Amino acid sequence: MSGAIGRRGFLQGLGLLAGAGPLLSRPAWAAPVESGAARSSAADGSAAPLPADGSAPLRWLPGHAPASFEGVTWGTPWPQGRVAADAGFELHDAHGKRVPVQSWSLAHWPDGSLKWSAHALAPPLAGVSSDYTLAPVRAAAAHPPKGVAKITLGERGDAVLVDTGSLRVTIPRQGDRILREVQRNGQPALSDGHLLLQIQGDPDAEQVRIRDYRGHTERVEIEQSGPQRAVVAIRGSHRADDGQARLPFVLRLYFYAGSSSLRIMHTLVYDADENREFIKGIGLRFATPLHAPLHDRHVRFVGADGGVFAEAVRGLTGLRRDPGSAITQAQIDGRATPPLEQFPPVVAQRLHYVPAFGSYRLVQAHPDGFSIEKRTAAGQGWVHAASGARAAGTGYIGTPQGGVAFGIRNFWQSYPGQLDIENAHTDQAQVTLWLWAPQAAPMDLRFYHDGAGQEDFTRQREALDITYEDYEPGFGTPLGVARTSELQLQFLDATPPVAQLLRIAERIAEPPQLLASPAYLHAAGAFGPQWTPQPPRSEPARELEAQLAWYFHFYRQEVQQRRWYGFWDYGDVMHSYDGDRHVWRYDVGGYAWDNSELSTDLWLWYY
């Protein structure tokens, strides 16, 4: 909701004209111009600001080039009749240099010309430009520059292989692993990547049994194949040891050429019995190798306010005998410490007495508080390490020779979430990104009342008159509801400095986006003739615009004030306000959550 994109005016009746004169002379890549096609106008009726060469200027949504970049995909609209359906594209940076881009069509105008195109930009070797220019060209001329990184995909009987140039990823076609192995620059970086599901019985019962499920792949599809971007979809369900299947899932893995990052879109569909099966935990787990002294193994967690929790598995600070500032500062920075021969003997000979904490967990149980605990090993007690308000959902485990940063987007907003690091004192640490934290209360999707006697249509109609709830038996089931989450893994060649880790966490929380300017979007007709980035000119329109702006900011503030967060709630707003209690009617039937009934998807989010 950055102000950089300009005003969102979608008012009707602003007098936007359909015609503004003929196009410029048609280049070879352009579509044939028909009567009335490829025309647009500014809000005042003047010619729209379309570049003379037919290109689209692009800029970063935050207003500046991202500090951390591992690839981006975006869409660009084109005026009707301006770009041929089979046109290719070239991308140029701010200095006019060609940059490799992967392009494909998304939609066409009624005359067959291109309406929307999609594009993928991988991490450029020379760094990210401040802005770009996208130009249509003849399809035959749209070849990539020489000497650039490309994604290669291979298939063998039991797996799909993806090579970004930095990462080599093995994805099994069947079985209980979604990632068999990830290698970075030829070295093992991840193994045994799999999905976890925990389901328990009624939390009100005296004895509660927990069943463990593991994601089982049923089908793998290559949805897109390079050279700059590849997408692999994994479909399956979670299975228990006895074969019982629950919660079908779809994972989409996104790869960019030259990138050391893996983006994962995780979608699950609820198909359990909400009265007997309560979700205790949903997560992704993998193992990562650690080959360094315990005092050179580093754990990091990032706070949403920019703070970083940074410790080593075996700490060298705060000891009764000081190993020296050079050694302790190296550990604090995440750099390799000197060989033990260079430690003071009084420290080197007694290091095995310093406890090594192999397990860490961060739990965000509600939107205003998280805690970090650690312990030396299974069977030992947990030690409280830190607390805070909101965690970014990004962590790191590794050594000065490399490791993996991992994160969940919208972590605290979609509470309860949890990040676990286990067995970091062994050769294989385990990392679990919990989308639903097992340390929190189980997911309870039972309907909030027993039907209140609404057994026939007459009673249901009477109840509707007082609670505005259109209830019928079976309407309250969660069966079929779905949830999509976004995760990222980035494989690093060293423990990142604090500043670098913060940039990674910022990218995971708010991925960078390229888009055309509001003026260009209007000129291209991207959102129809009634949308304009120009401020309204008439007094009634200005008043309506001001009222809409007030509503927009009011709802945005209410999200924070009323804590409209949570795994199932984040992204929705409530329906109606109770002025007597000074609360939203969260407990009055159909007056509770909006669920698009008030067209928030058409005005509030679009605005």
Side-chain angles (χ1 to χ4, degrees):
M1 298 179 183
S2 169
I5 197 173
R7 298 172 63 88
R8 274 81 161 176
F10 57 92
L11 309 179
Q12 298 185 9
L14 292 186
L16 301 181
L17 304 179
L23 283 174
L24 301 168
S25 59
R26 181 166 58 88
W29 46 261
V33 180
E34 300 178 2
S35 176
R39 303 186 180 195
S40 57
S41 66
D44 59 2
S46 61
L50 288 169
D53 61 358
S55 63
L58 305 172
R59 62 181 182 179
W60 295 103
L61 184 58
H64 56 82
S68 177
F69 182 74
E70 293 293 327
V72 65
T73 300
W74 76 97
T76 299
W78 304 98
Q80 183 173 354
R82 195 171 182 91
V83 179
D86 61 349
F89 292 91
E90 288 184 354
L91 186 68
H92 296 84
D93 65 16
H95 303 289
K97 182 180 178 181
R98 279 191 60 195
V99 179
V101 65
Q102 181 175 322
S103 305
W104 61 100
S105 62
L106 292 178
H108 297 85
W109 290 99
D111 64 356
S113 62
L114 190 63
K115 184 175 184 179
W116 280 91
S117 59
H119 309 274
L121 173 66
L125 295 177
V128 184
S129 177
S130 58
D131 53 70
Y132 293 89
T133 301
L134 183 68
V137 297
R138 286 181 181 271
H143 56 81
K146 296 181 179 180
V148 299
K150 298 180 181 180
I151 292 179
T152 59
L153 278 82
E155 296 186 66
R156 65 187 189 204
D158 65 341
V160 172
L161 306 178
V162 183
D163 192 335
T164 70
S166 177
L167 300 179
R168 183 174 174 84
V169 182
T170 304
I171 305 168
R173 289 189 174 277
Q174 299 282 336
D176 60 2
R177 287 182 291 179
I178 61 168
L179 296 171
R180 181 180 300 165
E181 184 182 35
V182 175
Q183 292 185 358
R184 171 171 168 78
N185 297 329
Q187 299 298 316
L190 177 151
S191 63
D192 191 27
H194 60 278
L195 297 177
L196 295 173
L197 171 66
Q198 295 180 347
I199 296 180
Q200 72 166 58
D202 187 345
D204 296 328
E206 293 184 3
Q207 294 184 344
V208 178
R209 178 191 175 199
I210 298 178
R211 285 173 58 86
D212 292 321
Y213 297 71
R214 184 159 165 153
H216 188 90
T217 298
E218 298 167 3
R219 188 168 77 255
V220 174
E221 302 172 0
I222 299 176
E223 293 189 336
Q224 190 175 42
S225 177
Q228 298 298 303
R229 176 183 187 257
V231 182
V232 178
I234 304 172
R235 303 175 187 274
S237 60
H238 302 82
R239 295 186 184 178
D241 291 340
D242 60 3
Q244 184 185 60
R246 286 291 183 270
L247 272 62
F249 66 81
V250 179
L251 292 184
R252 284 185 170 85
L253 312 182
Y254 295 81
F255 305 89
Y256 289 90
S259 173
S260 61
S261 181
L262 174 58
R263 178 172 176 249
I264 305 172
M265 296 298 290
H266 173 286
T267 300
L268 59 83
V269 180
Y270 186 86
D271 67 346
D273 181 347
E274 73 273 18
N275 294 305
R276 297 189 303 168
E277 298 172 311
F278 298 79
I279 307 302
K280 182 64 175 173
I282 305 169
L284 167 66
R285 176 173 292 171
F286 61 86
T288 185
L290 296 174
H291 302 299
L294 297 180
H295 54 271
D296 277 348
R297 302 182 183 189
H298 301 287
V299 173
R300 304 284 188 267
F301 292 117
V302 181
D305 61 355
V308 175
F309 174 89
E311 285 196 357
V313 171
R314 172 172 281 159
L316 297 175
T317 64
L319 301 177
R320 187 176 184 185
R321 305 303 180 188
D322 189 356
S325 60
I327 294 175
T328 56
Q329 191 60 49
Q331 186 183 70
I332 291 171
D333 294 341
R335 297 180 284 109
T337 57
L340 282 181
E341 294 78 14
Q342 298 181 25
F343 279 51
V346 69
V347 176
Q349 296 170 6
R350 296 171 174 81
L351 269 185
H352 59 284
Y353 291 118
V354 180
F357 289 88
S359 297
Y360 289 77
R361 68 184 181 199
L362 183 153
V363 181
Q364 181 90 46
H366 54 86
D368 295 313
F370 70 85
S371 63
I372 299 175
E373 297 178 317
K374 63 182 184 180
R375 68 179 178 180
T376 55
Q380 307 303 131
W382 290 92
V383 177
H384 176 72
S387 294
R390 291 169 174 174
T394 296
Y396 170 84
I397 177 66
T399 73
Q401 290 72 46
V404 56
F406 49 89
I408 302 173
R409 189 180 181 190
N410 296 324
F411 179 73
W412 64 264
Q413 297 94 327
S414 300
Y415 78 94
Q418 185 171 325
L419 302 176
D420 286 357
I421 297 173
E422 298 176 286
N423 299 320
H425 60 301
T426 70
D427 291 341
Q428 290 279 339
Q430 283 186 327
V431 175
T432 310
L433 292 84
W434 293 103
L435 304 176
W436 187 279
Q439 296 299 315
M443 184 187 301
D444 191 345
L445 295 181
R446 292 173 293 184
F447 198 61
Y448 77 103
H449 67 67
D450 62 1
Q454 301 177 57
E455 299 174 357
D456 52 45
F457 177 79
T458 300
R459 292 181 176 87
Q460 293 160 13
R461 182 64 181 82
E462 289 178 353
L464 179 62
D465 279 340
I466 191 168
T467 62
Y468 188 55
E469 183 172 49
D470 189 11
Y471 173 85
E472 291 183 25
F475 273 26
T477 176
L479 185 66
V481 68
R483 175 64 154 83
T484 296
S485 305
E486 182 173 345
L487 307 89
Q488 286 201 35
L489 309 176
Q490 183 166 352
F491 301 91
L492 304 167
D493 56 9
T495 296
V498 168
Q500 180 185 359
L501 186 58
L502 289 176
R503 291 193 294 267
I504 293 173
E506 180 182 3
R507 188 195 75 238
I508 294 174
E510 292 292 339
Q513 288 293 331
L514 272 176
L515 78 164
S517 68
Y520 177 89
L521 295 175
H522 172 245
F527 304 121
Q530 296 172 322
W531 179 86
T532 172
Q534 302 294 329
R537 302 180 64 184
S538 68
E539 183 61 30
R542 283 199 298 268
E543 291 179 0
L544 182 56
E545 175 77 3
Q547 184 69 23
L548 289 171
W550 185 91
Y551 279 130
F552 174 80
H553 291 291
F554 171 76
Y555 272 103
R556 185 166 64 174
Q557 292 168 359
E558 286 295 283
V559 171
Q560 163 64 15
Q561 179 178 343
R562 305 292 179 172
R563 301 303 192 265
W564 289 340
Y565 301 115
F567 184 84
W568 290 112
D569 297 337
Y570 183 55
D572 200 359
V573 297
M574 288 203 174
H575 187 292
S576 299
Y577 193 74
D578 186 337
D580 294 323
R581 288 185 293 167
H582 296 291
V583 297
W584 289 81
R585 303 183 197 181
Y586 69 95
D587 55 354
V588 186
Y591 286 115
W593 290 104
D594 182 8
N595 296 318
S596 300
E597 187 176 12
L598 298 182
S599 298
T600 48
D601 53 342
L602 295 180
W603 80 268
L604 184 58
W605 307 135
Y606 192 40
Y607 186 75

